[in-house]
Amino acid sequence: MAMNYAEENIYVLIFMRLFGLVSMIASGFIIRDITRKLYSRPGAFLKKVSLTQSILIVLSIGDFGGAFFVQFISSWMVPFHSQLLGSVGSQQSCVAQGFLSTFFYSLSGLSNASLAVAYCLIVRLGWKDKDKSKNRLPFVLTPFLISLVLAIAPLFGSNYNYNGGYSCYISGYPAGCEFDPNPQETCTRGAQARNMLL
C-alpha cells in the first residue's frame, strides 16, 4: 500500500526531530563535560580547559543550535500559508529560523576548521594544547564573527524564506524563483538568494 504525501511528511518530520534531539543530547554532553571543569573552582577556565576544548565547546554550541532550529523545530517556524504539515509560523519566524540556522551551522563548520588549524599547529609546530602563552581568542572568536557576518548578509534583500523543504533558509519566495532566468520579475522576496548561497 502506497503512502500519501501527508503520511510521508509525518514520518520525515518525526525522524528529523528524533535525529535532531539525538544530536542536541550529544552536543549537550560535550558542553556539560567541558563546562564542569569551569565549576571546579573560580578562575579555572584558563587553567583547566585546553585550546582544543575551548574550540570544541564552540563547535558543540553550533551543533546544538543548528540541530534545534533546523531539525527539531523544523516546520513549526515555517509560515502557516505554506501548507506544510505542522507549519504554524509567520514570515518573521521564518526569517529568524533562517538567520539562526545560518549562524549556528556556520559556527559549527568554521569551528571545525579552527579545530583543524589548532591540531595542525599542535602536531606540526609543536604547540602544547594546555600552553597558556598561546592566545585562544582568534581560534574561538573568529568563527563567531564570520558566522555573524554570513548570517546578517542575507537579511539585506529579504533572502530568508521558506525553501520548499521542511524549514526556512536562504531562498526566494515563491520557492525556487531565484533560479528563473529573470528572478526580479518572478520573486516577491529574495530575488538575490542564489547569490547569497556560498
Side-chain angles (χ1 to χ4, degrees):
M1 184 171 155
M3 285 189 292
N4 65 24
Y5 184 69
E7 288 175 346
E8 187 178 309
N9 274 342
I10 289 172
Y11 292 123
V12 170
L13 289 171
I14 288 171
F15 281 116
M16 275 180 59
R17 290 191 174 112
L18 180 67
F19 292 135
L21 186 63
V22 169
S23 179
M24 288 166 33
I25 290 170
S27 296
F29 281 140
I30 294 170
I31 293 168
R32 182 189 62 89
D33 182 53
I34 295 172
T35 54
R36 283 182 68 190
K37 295 180 181 189
L38 299 176
Y39 295 113
S40 61
R41 61 187 164 91
F45 182 71
L46 293 176
K47 296 178 182 168
K48 290 205 167 193
V49 178
S50 67
L51 170 65
T52 54
Q53 288 174 328
S54 300
I55 299 168
L56 194 60
I57 197 167
V58 175
L59 190 146
S60 296
I61 289 169
D63 283 343
F64 186 92
F68 179 73
F69 285 107
V70 175
Q71 292 155 341
F72 189 72
I73 290 183
S74 66
S75 65
W76 292 333
M77 293 183 86
V78 172
F80 65 90
H81 60 77
S82 67
Q83 303 302 316
L84 177 65
L85 184 67
S87 59
V88 293
S90 63
Q91 184 59 43
Q92 290 78 15
S93 66
C94 187
V95 170
Q97 183 182 34
F99 176 86
L100 292 168
S101 65
T102 301
F103 175 76
F104 283 119
Y105 279 145
S106 298
L107 182 63
S108 178
L110 292 167
S111 295
N112 198 352
S114 181
L115 188 62
V117 170
Y119 277 128
C120 182
L121 293 171
I122 289 168
V123 171
R124 300 291 279 164
L125 298 180
W127 280 27
K128 302 288 185 229
D129 195 22
K130 296 189 184 281
D131 191 359
K132 302 301 172 278
S133 65
K134 305 300 182 203
N135 192 357
R136 298 173 201 188
L137 200 56
F139 292 97
V140 176
L141 189 61
T142 303
F144 268 109
L145 294 176
I146 294 173
S147 297
L148 197 58
V149 168
L150 290 175
I152 289 174
L155 288 173
F156 301 102
S158 303
N159 291 305
Y160 288 124
N161 297 295
Y162 173 57
N163 63 3
Y166 294 96
S167 64
C168 298
Y169 193 60
I170 301 170
S171 176
Y173 182 79
C177 70
E178 71 271 18
F179 297 106
D180 287 345
N182 194 358
Q184 281 74 17
E185 292 178 8
T186 55
C187 291
T188 56
R189 290 177 50 91
Q192 298 300 320
R194 188 174 180 184
N195 298 336
M196 290 289 159
L197 292 171
L198 297 176

